[in-house]
Amino acid sequence: MTTTPRRLAAVGTAAVIAAAGLSACSSSSGSGSKDGFTYWSMWTAQEPQGQAIKKLFDQYTAETGVKVDVQFLGRDVNTRIVPAITANKAPDLWDQGSDVIYGSAASTGQALDLTPVLSMQVPGEGKTVGEIIPAKYNQALPKDSNGVQNWVIPYIVSSAEFFYNAADPDIKAAMPTPPATWADFIKVCDALKAKSKPCLASEGEDDWTNGLIFDYRLNAAGVNFADLTNDKTGAAWDNPAVLKAAQETDQLIAGHYVVPGYDATKTPAQETAWASGKDAFFMNGSWVTSETGKEVASTWKYGAMLPPGVTAPDSMTFGFTIPKKAKHADAAEKFIAWFVQQKNMAALASTADTLTTRTDVPAPADLTDVQKALDSSAVRLTFDGQSGDDVYTKVFAQNFLDFWHGKLAPEQFVAKVKATQVSYWKSQS
């Protein structure tokens, strides 16, 4: 998952109620409920998420008297958090994409086990945090080095799908109902091609968004991307289902269904072209609606669908985590329980045009299709959690781009990745 989408009162009776609601069990040996704590945010103060979260922190201090030292660091939090943890100067609370949290802290056992937070009462709702945040989001994540599953409490969720303009007459005519199979999707592309409308937008140099299509074809064929790329022998690439996934992906390239010239453009040229209606579908994360919201026509109606045959939507969560050595972890935990109240999450969703992890907070109108997909009983990680890892970057990415740009046939792509993968794992041993 990329974590950089171009892409979160008075004291008195309310404070008493809040304090009572926040008194349920917490995990750490931190200080009392009135102690302040420090927080580093992955958002900038100018981003809609940052604006929403700033208001909620101000509201929290007004309601509880707890002061919070907030720093909106943006994506710089990625490079600052590890040195800070090492120097024992980390904030008490920080947030990021779950993949980054895992890579920088959880994988080395530096994130606090937040399982006790799941048992804390959400103020005024008569439910615990664990009852209102679906467990499936954390169950899709890897356990940390100590076997802990709940090292993050996710509050925002995104998913990658084929996005399109449901009000486009060409798309409505080509796709009266969602395609049930990949062959049906190709027929939709044929119908669009007959009207001189490219079926697919593509930021040609982006291995991640384009690679999602191959990842989803693997999933539809019952192949786990992480299992495939972690196979040190490379034999997993001999599975006929892998070649089938490559051949299906190649249909988009060989059939000239991708917008002409896609391999020679730079982001966000093709996203902008898509938002102007020049082509039909665009595989991307659900942040694409907020990125293009000011570019699309007033008649535009966002639609989204999973590629036919996939078994589960992917999920990319963003959430709170606490360093294991945080000095005021107790206060940070109480804030998390306060933050996930329905009214707070609803404010975040409306201000930032985003999906929250609460199922009882309505999705923004342009993300209702994505919410329906995420309502499934299970979710999966993009590339089955392998995105951004060394094996993804050094083995898959460039070979996939060569394939996506038409330089490798499906059979050549499979053979090339297999050979690169075997060499990579030998070098690691």
Side-chain angles (χ1 to χ4, degrees), residues 294-306:
K294 293 182 179 179
E295 301 176 54
V296 302
S298 59
T299 55
W300 188 286
K301 180 182 178 182
Y302 285 102
M305 67 180 187
L306 291 168

Side-chain angles (χ1 to χ4, degrees), residues 121-370:
Q121 291 289 317
V122 178
E125 297 193 10
K127 293 182 179 179
T128 66
V129 173
E131 290 174 318
I132 57 100
I133 304 293
K136 63 185 178 184
Y137 293 123
N138 273 18
Q139 289 171 349
L141 296 170
K143 294 180 180 179
D144 76 4
S145 57
N146 297 313
V148 173
Q149 190 84 66
N150 301 309
W151 38 266
V152 60
I153 302 297
Y155 60 83
I156 283 178
V157 59
S158 295
S159 184
E161 300 193 13
F162 278 136
F163 286 84
Y164 61 97
N165 176 12
D168 185 320
D170 290 337
I171 297 177
K172 292 170 69 173
M175 190 175 68
T177 59
T181 66
W182 185 251
D184 290 342
F185 179 67
I186 295 300
K187 291 178 182 176
V188 172
C189 290
D190 278 328
L192 290 163
K193 188 176 180 180
K195 293 196 173 186
S196 301
K197 172 164 277 189
C199 186
L200 193 69
S202 166
E203 301 286 14
E205 89 288 0
D206 187 349
D207 54 87
W208 191 82
T209 55
N210 296 306
L212 287 169
I213 298 171
F214 177 62
D215 178 46
Y216 268 134
R217 295 326 302 154
L218 287 175
N219 175 260
V223 179
N224 181 292
F225 185 90
D227 292 344
L228 178 65
T229 52
N230 284 330
D231 177 15
K232 295 177 173 58
T233 72
W237 286 87
D238 296 331
N239 182 347
V242 175
L243 179 58
K244 179 184 177 184
Q247 291 170 330
E248 289 179 338
T249 305
D250 185 60
Q251 283 184 278
L252 296 171
I253 306 163
H256 301 291
Y257 299 124
V258 187
V259 61
Y262 69 96
D263 55 341
T265 60
K266 296 290 183 182
T267 302
Q270 295 299 339
E271 178 178 280
T272 300
W274 170 75
S276 67
K278 292 184 178 178
D279 28 42
F281 298 97
F282 187 32
M283 172 61 76
N284 209 327
S286 48
W287 49 78
V288 71
T289 61
S290 63
E291 289 184 358
T292 59
K294 293 182 179 179
E295 301 176 54
V296 302
S298 59
T299 55
W300 188 286
K301 180 182 178 182
Y302 285 102
M305 67 180 187
L306 291 168
V310 304
T311 60
D314 66 15
S315 71
M316 296 162 276
T317 53
F318 301 78
F320 293 117
T321 190
I322 299 175
K324 185 169 285 184
K325 294 181 180 179
K327 297 178 177 64
H328 303 97
D330 184 54
E333 290 180 337
K334 290 180 172 65
F335 171 77
I336 294 174
W338 178 91
F339 183 92
V340 299
Q341 290 176 88
Q342 185 183 36
K343 61 181 182 181
N344 295 338
M345 298 281 259
L348 176 62
S350 60
T351 302
D353 189 26
T354 192
L355 294 171
T356 75
T357 49
R358 285 195 65 139
T359 58
D360 56 356
V361 170
D366 48 16
L367 292 172
T368 54
D369 285 350
V370 180

